[in-house]
């Protein structure tokens, strides 16, 4: 008998909402393709080929907002666009004090992790304490399960100094330990 525990899967299982979005997007694309093909056949029968007429078709100009919304939905960029909007409204979501010291850096759509960098370890600790509340607030705004975790990064280390006693290619004092 082995006492090994099964290793957890790294890939998250898609939730019902994600599966529904994918299915809806695929159905819309198929319907659009069927409609375009039928329209082209009808115009070809008339002998005119593709030409513009009095009625609206896919080649007519559209408003910028409509074009952007169409592009976002066709490409499946709904979640990243929503998170990008949150990054723009970061001060309203977390508060002015916290926003002065903590800035969202990137959103990993696969892992559903929002990375935030802070300018001091004290603010990084404060944000780690507030992370569950912020995740709940973000998911309330974006939809359930959009953000699973907030990864908090503290300030970076000091700039590396080069001098006469440095070996070329050295990564610092820790590079001699294996």
């Amino acid at each position: 008998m082995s006492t090994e525990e099964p290793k957890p899967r790294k890939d998250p299982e898609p939730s019902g909402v994600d599966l529904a979005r994918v299915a809806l997007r695929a159905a819309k694309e198929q319907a659009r393709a069927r409609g375009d093909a039928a329209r082209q056949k009808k115009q070809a029968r008339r002998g005119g080929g593709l030409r513009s007429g009095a009625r609206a078709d896919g080649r007519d100009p559209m408003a910028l907002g409509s074009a952007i919304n169409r592009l976002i939905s066709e490409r499946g960029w709904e979640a990243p666009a929503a998170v990008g909007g949150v990054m723009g409204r970061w001060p309203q979501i977390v508060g002015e004090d916290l926003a002065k010291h903590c800035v969202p850096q990137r959103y990993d759509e696969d892992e559903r992790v929002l990375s935030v960098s802070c300018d001091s370890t004290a603010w990084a600790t404060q944000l780690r304490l507030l992370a569950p509340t912020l995740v709940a607030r973000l998911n309330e705004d974006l939809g359930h399960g959009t953000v699973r975790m907030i990864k908090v990064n503290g300030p970076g280390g000091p700039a590396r100094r080069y001098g006469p006693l440095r070996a070329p290619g050295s990564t610092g004092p820790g590079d001699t330990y294996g």
Side-chain angles (χ1 to χ4, degrees):
M1 279 225 135
S2 76
T3 58
E4 294 180 25
E5 294 183 29
K7 295 180 181 177
R9 287 184 58 184
K10 189 159 184 152
D11 297 330
E13 292 293 323
S15 67
V17 174
D18 294 331
L19 294 173
R21 281 187 186 135
V22 170
L24 177 63
R25 192 176 311 120
K28 283 182 177 180
E29 288 173 2
Q30 289 173 356
R32 189 175 300 116
R34 282 193 308 267
D36 289 343
R39 190 177 315 120
Q40 287 175 357
K41 282 182 184 177
K42 189 174 183 182
Q43 287 178 348
R45 268 188 267 137
R46 281 191 254 156
L50 292 176
R51 62 179 180 218
S52 183
R55 293 194 180 96
D57 64 4
R59 298 174 295 151
D60 288 342
M62 59 176 29
L64 181 62
S66 301
I68 289 174
N69 289 336
R70 180 175 166 187
L71 179 69
I72 287 172
S73 64
E74 285 176 357
R75 302 283 171 105
W77 295 340
E78 290 94 355
V83 172
V86 164
M87 289 183 178
R89 295 179 292 131
W90 184 252
Q92 291 84 18
I93 293 171
V94 299
E96 292 293 328
D97 289 337
L98 194 60
K100 288 178 187 174
H101 301 282
C102 302
V103 180
Q105 294 297 316
R106 68 180 165 276
Y107 174 70
D108 184 2
E109 188 177 1
D110 297 331
E111 299 290 326
R112 296 182 182 168
V113 174
L114 179 66
S115 297
V116 179
S117 66
C118 298
D119 61 2
S120 71
T121 55
W123 284 105
T125 303
Q126 182 69 22
L127 187 64
R128 284 186 188 102
L129 293 172
L130 292 173
T133 307
L134 289 177
V135 168
R137 190 178 300 166
L138 289 169
N139 285 329
E140 181 180 301
D141 191 26
L142 300 172
H144 181 68
T146 304
V147 177
R148 289 188 181 171
M149 186 175 85
I150 294 179
K151 181 181 176 187
V152 181
N153 300 317
R160 293 192 7 191
R161 297 189 180 128
Y162 297 97
L165 300 178
R166 281 256 177 213
S170 139
T171 59
D175 70 348
T176 59
Y177 300 110

